[in-house]
Amino acid sequence: MDKNELMRQAIKLSAASNREDGDGPFGAIVVKDGKVVGEGRNCVGSTCDATAHSEVVAIRDAGSRLGTADLSGCEMYTSCEPCAMCSAAIWWAGIDRVYFAASSAQSGDAGFGTGTLMQELTRPIEERAVSGEKLLGDEAVAVLKKWMEGT
């Protein structure tokens, strides 16, 4: 399949959104060696899962089908430019390349957008809109050290 055909599959998934359940019009597929190994559509509303963006759902599906969290050697086709969360998931999964159809600005025009999320993430955690506070760091580091030692 060529790139346009693969992108049409992602767009077709985006059209399957369930507006009544609050699912957004987004779809994505993961491709390895020219074959679709994962697919997903946005199902945030229907699953009550804020992380159920189409890209994350497609990554979960591909990992399950391939039996690995390492998706290096794969490409993603997504109906819209990935948000910050999805970009991070794509990076963690090791996906090699992303193709997208609509831009983040265009999804923002449709009422979907992450606004100033990237700016927010550059601020110290205690100054963010959802602030944070460090607790029991020594105890957590002890677990990390045991992990590194293999015990």
Side-chain angles (χ1 to χ4, degrees):
M1 261 189 248
D2 73 9
K3 291 177 185 176
N4 289 328
E5 290 177 61
L6 292 165
M7 183 59 75
R8 282 189 185 97
Q9 282 190 253
I11 293 169
K12 184 177 179 182
L13 286 167
S14 74
S17 67
N18 187 342
R19 188 180 191 112
E20 291 79 32
D21 285 339
D23 295 337
F26 305 101
I29 60 172
V30 176
V31 176
K32 184 169 183 142
D33 300 325
K35 295 181 182 177
V36 176
V37 295
E39 60 181 39
R41 67 168 186 83
N42 180 289
C43 50
V44 169
S46 59
T47 61
C48 299
D49 179 353
T51 68
H53 290 199
S54 61
E55 296 91 341
V56 173
V57 173
I59 288 169
R60 291 174 182 161
D61 187 37
S64 178
R65 288 191 204 186
L66 297 174
T68 181
D70 180 3
L71 300 181
S72 55
C74 294
E75 299 176 330
M76 177 173 282
Y77 291 78
T78 179
S79 65
C80 188
E81 185 176 359
C83 71
M85 177 185 70
C86 293
S87 293
I90 290 163
W91 182 83
W92 276 108
I95 291 173
D96 295 343
R97 187 165 180 84
V98 175
Y99 299 94
F100 64 92
S103 70
S104 58
Q106 290 168 316
S107 69
D109 291 345
F112 300 94
T114 55
T116 59
L117 176 61
M118 294 306 287
Q119 291 173 321
E120 180 75 7
L121 293 175
T122 63
R123 298 173 65 184
I125 195 165
E126 59 276 353
E127 296 176 14
R128 296 179 191 168
V130 178
S131 64
E133 179 182 346
K134 184 176 179 181
L135 299 172
L136 303 175
D138 292 341
E139 292 180 29
V141 170
V143 172
L144 291 171
K145 286 181 180 177
K146 283 186 178 182
W147 173 267
M148 290 186 304
E149 295 166 358
T151 58

